[in-house]
Amino acid sequence: MNHLDIPQLLGLLVLILGFAKLFGFLAKQVGQPAVLGELVAGVVLGASALGLVAPKNEVLHFLAELGVLILLFEIGLEIDLGKLLQSGGTSTTVAVAGVVLPFAGGYAVCWSLGLDNLVSIVAGATLTATSVGITARVLADLGRLQDTESQIVLGAAVIDDILGLIILAVVGGLTEGQAITVLGVAKITGIAFGFLAATLVLGGLIVPTVVRWFSHVNLPGTQTTVAIMLAFGLAWLASAAGSAMIIGAFAAGLLLRKTPQAKEMGKGVASLGHFFVPIFFVVVGSAVDVRAFNPVDPANRQTLLVGGLLVVVAVLGKFLAGYTPFWFRGNKTVIGVGMIPRGEVGLIFAQMGLSSGIFDSGLFSAVTLMVMITTFMAPPLLKLLFPPIPLGTEPPNRTYTARG
Amino acid sequence: MNHLDIPQLLGLLVLILGFAKLFGFLAKQVGQPAVLGELVAGVVLGASALGLVAPKNEVLHFLAELGVLILLFEIGLEIDLGKLLQSGGTSTTVAVAGVVLPFAGGYAVCWSLGLDNLVSIVAGATLTATSVGITARVLADLGRLQDTESQIVLGAAVIDDILGLIILAVVGGLTEGQAITVLGVAKITGIAFGFLAATLVLGGLIVPTVVRWFSHVNLPGTQTTVAIMLAFGLAWLASAAGSAMIIGAFAAGLLLRKTPQAKEMGKGVASLGHFFVPIFFVVVGSAVDVRAFNPVDPANRQTLLVGGLLVVVAVLGKFLAGYTPFWFRGNKTVIGVGMIPRGEVGLIFAQMGLSSGIFDSGLFSAVTLMVMITTFMAPPLLKLLFPPIPLGTEPPNRTYTARG
């Protein structure tokens, strides 16, 4: 206990939570999602400016890791797989095109700039996942959640997230130095799909019984504890099975969604999320070095060139994906624009690339710039294309959208 | 990030939460408070048996520290100082006698057994604090919360807790090796009282304004975040001022109680408490080595002798304290028995004594034995003296009593 300076860590936590709340509030004031403010708070507290949140602080990284697991659990808890399957082919087409086009574009850009094959793959992967949280929150704020276009965007963003999780597991295996063979990729894909499938099938049989048993435990907080135990337990299991921890946490959410206790669990876990999740975004933001964006320094030109091209590919790829369901007669531009914001998963990829040494800090900063710009541009664009309905539908009862 | 084995820590957290819930449930089934089960879960997971929760795990200790800060914050949030002052002299008399008698008895026992002066002081201090959580929970379970005796016991237990916090700061200073001079003790007492007074006076002026300002921040979880920031911030400040961190967290609760947001904050922080607080009790329990209670081993006889005598002094001291308000015409036996259970603060003292090296593991185990036995014996005794009222009053709306 004497090695950790606990009062200092407490002070740091207060600063992180305070800055996250302050910048989240300011972001909202200028019409941006709160999560963007939390990233900016990280930039301010991190390497670029104050230097208080050091990338090497292990306890903060552990708390951030708990934060991203809780966030993915919350996403899973909000996703109704059955309902998404109904929205059917249109969402899936947009999602698949929205993964393939940015990935191919990002890979092509990086490879043609002379970057390594593995680096190009990981960079391409960072472009794939739409942030379902940011998109849902923006659509809710505009009172447009019940529009057909919104349903398609949300469905596609969710499928996107699942595809992103699979890609994440594949890339995670690659960044750990596994050779890039067809067999290797197939194996990782098999493990990722297999773990998710096995967990959902076996979990679907076991979890309702376990939850029912625990519902007899008349102790306060039991539901929250069960949810956290399943999220962390499956995260540990996923890791032990050679998959990504967040897939386990996500699967835990999917499994618990169908139980009668889901709502109570969501509330309790949301309170934990209010504490842990901003730590994740601040820690991610703290790793961005804005000095890498200084155009006066010739050393940064490569970073800015790559970052700029990634932004173009990221926007174009998702925008074109909105046009792939050619049979759809609604507003395809709205769909494309709704898919643009990247978020959590993109940042997780970037973090993974950085911590494994595949990304240098310049490329990491370029990717984070891409995430921030795509996240910045979507809300005002959507507002332009999709005027708010003043007395529109209620914001959805999604704890996850609250992440903003 | 690579130095901490995050999946392993996740697995450990799942085990800790699961065992805490399981043993808490079993404790309730046999009519005992859940907190006792959590301690037993720690014993099972710790050094005595499975050896999974190692006392040296710094991350677990940090999480446990956050747990005890959150618990003390919750206690503060439940305490209405004004109302307690109304119950007046009777509670105060019981509280002061209930601190002085066990302290003097514990000191005398240890000193006469040839233990060091400092060791005897710290051991005496562990006997002082009644667990307001356990007592309140037991009285609520019996439907007796509105009885005059219960009000006196609760009032005294709360004053006890405040006195315990002051003693804790004094002892904390002593365990850090400050010389035991009258001036030194007076200084620490002054700092403890001064910090609490200054925080409550200044905080009383500033906190309502800050909370009102934050109430305009229309982001989910803001109230919980403000509460946690104040709790951890004042804990950091208390530490910087040379006082105990938990006094800061406790003061934060007292300050926020008067704000209109107190209820919402209590709910959000309770969810955090459901995660963090059991970690504290399990970590404390894990440090108990039951092998030290083996009477066959002659090396343990000193531990058992000290532990047994401490139990006698702990029970007699509080029991007699119940009789000190000689003018009170109600059931004094109930008051005395209601004061017997020790809890959080006693365990914090014990932990402090162990980690500073003042207690050896034998004395630490003896003190923990005293805490466990006094906690064990009170609920059945109270049930005997104070038969439950079947359709009694509602359990109080106290998140803290939920700790059991």
Side-chain angles (χ1 to χ4, degrees), chain B residues 58-393:
Chain B
E58 290 196 335
V59 174
L60 280 187
H61 270 103
F62 177 66
L63 297 179
E65 193 74 26
L66 296 186
V68 70
L69 292 176
I70 288 170
L71 178 63
L72 269 282
F73 172 80
E74 289 185 78
I75 297 176
L77 200 62
E78 300 301 333
I79 291 180
D80 184 343
L81 274 176
K83 206 172 169 186
L84 281 174
L85 291 175
Q86 282 171 24
S87 76
T90 314
S91 289
T92 310
T93 307
V94 174
V96 171
V99 165
V100 170
L101 295 178
F103 181 84
Y107 178 84
V109 161
C110 291
W111 196 79
S112 62
L113 287 170
L115 291 177
D116 188 76
N117 198 33
L118 178 59
V119 176
S120 302
I121 288 175
V122 179
T126 62
L127 300 177
T128 55
T130 294
S131 165
V132 59
I134 291 167
T135 301
R137 178 60 174 269
V138 172
L139 293 173
D141 285 352
L142 297 175
R144 291 285 197 175
L145 266 179
Q146 303 313 317
D147 289 46
T148 313
E149 285 85 355
S150 299
Q151 295 277 357
I152 293 169
V153 169
L154 282 182
V158 163
I159 298 169
D160 228 38
D161 249 16
I162 298 176
L163 294 176
L165 290 169
I166 304 296
I167 297 172
L168 188 61
V170 175
V171 170
L174 293 176
T175 58
E176 280 163 20
Q178 299 176 26
I180 316 171
T181 62
V182 175
L183 193 71
V185 172
K187 192 184 150 199
I188 296 169
T189 311
I191 287 174
F193 272 107
F195 176 78
L196 194 58
T199 303
L200 290 178
V201 171
L202 290 176
L205 297 171
I206 298 166
V207 166
T209 313
V210 173
V211 170
R212 203 177 314 121
W213 188 83
F214 271 107
S215 72
H216 300 301
V217 178
N218 185 23
L219 292 172
T222 299
Q223 304 308 334
T224 306
T225 307
V226 170
I228 286 294
M229 281 171 61
L230 194 66
F232 290 179
L234 288 184
W236 171 80
L237 208 62
S239 171
S243 187
M245 286 190 286
I246 52 171
I247 291 188
F250 180 69
L254 289 176
L255 286 170
L256 289 174
R257 182 186 166 76
K258 298 162 201 161
T259 64
Q261 288 79 15
K263 202 172 172 187
E264 194 186 336
M265 288 173 173
K267 273 187 196 167
V269 174
S271 287
L272 285 168
H274 295 319
F275 174 73
F276 283 108
V277 178
I279 299 175
F280 171 71
F281 288 114
V282 168
V283 165
V284 170
S286 74
V288 179
D289 192 345
V290 289
R291 287 168 296 191
F293 306 141
N294 177 7
V296 178
D297 185 346
N300 294 334
R301 292 199 184 137
Q302 173 80 354
T303 297
L304 286 172
L305 175 68
V306 177
L309 288 172
L310 287 182
V311 170
V312 172
V313 170
V315 171
L316 269 184
K318 291 290 185 185
F319 187 80
L320 291 176
Y323 279 83
T324 48
F326 53 86
W327 57 89
F328 176 67
R329 294 177 166 228
N331 190 337
K332 297 190 185 72
T333 310
V334 163
I335 296 176
V337 171
M339 298 290 290
I340 288 175
R342 306 306 199 275
E344 308 83 53
V345 183
L347 293 173
I348 296 166
F349 278 108
Q351 188 71 46
M352 195 182 269
L354 182 69
S355 65
S356 63
I358 289 174
F359 285 2
D360 58 19
S361 72
L363 188 52
F364 172 81
S365 300
V367 167
T368 315
L369 183 70
M370 177 278 295
V371 170
M372 293 176 88
I373 287 180
T374 55
T375 307
F376 259 112
M377 68 189 291
L381 276 180
L382 274 176
K383 255 184 212 159
L384 273 175
L385 292 166
F386 224 14
I389 297 177
L391 287 171
T393 46

